[in-house]
Amino acid sequence: MQVVICSAHTDYDWTEVVARLGHSDKLLVLRKPAEPIEVLQCATALSRKWENERLVKDHVGRLQEVITMRTHGLEAANRQLRHLATHDSLTGLPNRVLLDDRLAQAMAHADRDKRSFALMVCDLDRFKLINDSLGHRAGDELLQEVARRLGAVARTADTVARFGGDEFVLVGCSLADAEDALQMAARAIEALRAPVRIAGIDVHASPSIGIALYPEDGTSIEALLAHADAAMYAAKHQGRGSVRRYMSGMHAGTEDRVQMESELHQAIELKQFELHYQPKVDTLTGVVRSAEALIRWVHPSRGLVSPADFIPLAEECGLIGAIGGWVIREACRQARAWQEEGVPPLRISVNLSASQFREVGLVDSIRRALDDVGLLARYLEVELTESAVMSDPEQSVAILEQLSAMGVLVSVDDFGTGYSSMSYLRRFPIDKLKIDRVFINEIASRPEDASIVRAIVSLAHSLNLKVVAEGVETPAQLDFLKTAGCDEYQGYHYSRPLPADQFQRLIRDARSHDVLTEEEAVRTHSKLSVYQRK
């Protein structure tokens, strides 16, 4: 601190002295005479005052810096919280909260400019199958890639949001007409056409897209979303990877779907499910020694509901596990009941969905179902698709070996339509291959299909596996299968799926008293267990 002391008379006036001293901390003493001690005391007092003021000023400055720094941190945290509240954490796209705001803005701009905009609901086809087969991490990777590709299709003024699950919403602003919306949807489908490489597998993510235009198809956010969603479900029914614009009456289908889901939750408790049984027939002898249990929903007002109508819905709403568990228990109960009534022993096969196959405790639940009714494991067969088996090979081996050790037979359903990897046929404890009906339909007229069936039969027999053909409906198809050496067949040529009482009469009338022999029941490929009669 600089202190200037002038103790003598000066010829300068006050303004000139101040101008020379400037604004720095200085001491100006204009007094005559001045004792040295007085000047020292004055200077010391003023110096301490100025020093205290400087300390206070520095402290206030540091406090201001801390406050500023913390304020910036809070602002950054608030920005992050706002982003998390308005964006999807997986894809980074706007979520429902921000989508509603964007839609409100789009409606305001459309009203002001007398223009239209399109709301598109995009749902990935068969995403649940991918999620269940390859795992949730693979499903997340697919969703992230889909979000990136849809974002590349959108223009600057457009919005791409994730609505939840595998549903995305595109808002196309300032469109001239419905044709512009259809073209935008076509670009989205084209962007998703290329496969996504996940876990070493090329995954195809085809979308079904429903379109609703503002204001023609709705003047509120809720109406637009509901109508676009209805159009999307119409696109799914039309064929995967397609686009539909909302039309009057579509919304009724969506409401019916919601109603059906509600009723499906109560169906097990109200005992509305029943099993129908389709015979599996020995191709050469015509003897029925096994049957496939197929679920039917006997609805009080809808009548007999086909599995094609409610199984996909059950998978979507998470009921497939409970329904599949009921099927296993009921099939075991019915098989044992027939035995006690004197019906020749039959093996009953049940279908396991990919998600049910991955459930913890599956093996224990099957063992309990057998033990509860006293049914030998050799009279139960489980059918799995290739995709379910190959989604996690190591886990599949562990599960299948436990089932095989119990004595339960394992069939690969729809063979030839999935991964078709030959390696798993020798690695997994599999007993049968079921040739998908797509190869059987034109087996008598298409040489290519005939060659595929012969190859599958030859491959299976070389690995000591039995072969079952699905969807046999004509004598010509059966004659070909006999010549090819197929072991069993099922289809309308012999019988449609029948309720338990009708199936029992069919078996009795056929006088099929050939008992399931030890040789027929023994392990074919895995050799992990040998059945013993009790």
Side-chain angles (χ1 to χ4, degrees), residues 357-358 362-363 389 392-405 427-429 528:
F357 183 56
R358 299 295 171 205
L362 170 68
V363 176
V389 172
D392 187 341
E394 298 306 320
Q395 185 183 7
S396 296
V397 168
I399 296 173
L400 295 179
E401 284 182 349
Q402 292 181 68
L403 292 174
S404 183
R427 291 185 58 201
F428 296 162
L528 291 177

Side-chain angles (χ1 to χ4, degrees), residues 2 43 208 232 289 291 301 320 421:
Q2 183 179 5
S208 295
M232 181 271 293
R289 291 196 176 91
S301 59
I320 193 63
S421 171

Side-chain angles (χ1 to χ4, degrees), residues 498-510:
L498 298 172
D501 56 342
Q502 296 181 29
F503 180 83
Q504 181 176 343
R505 287 197 296 270
L506 174 70
I507 299 302
R508 288 189 183 279
D509 293 344

Side-chain angles (χ1 to χ4, degrees), residues 238-251:
Q238 174 180 302
R240 302 186 186 279
S242 59
V243 181
R244 289 289 300 274
R245 184 192 164 184
Y246 174 74
M247 297 177 62
S248 179
M250 284 183 176
H251 190 52

Side-chain angles (χ1 to χ4, degrees), residues 26-44:
K26 296 175 182 179
L27 176 60
L28 179 64
V29 180
L30 300 175
R31 182 168 178 260
K32 184 184 178 183
E35 295 295 334
I37 189 64
E38 293 178 328
V39 174
L40 180 59
Q41 290 174 343
C42 183
T44 300

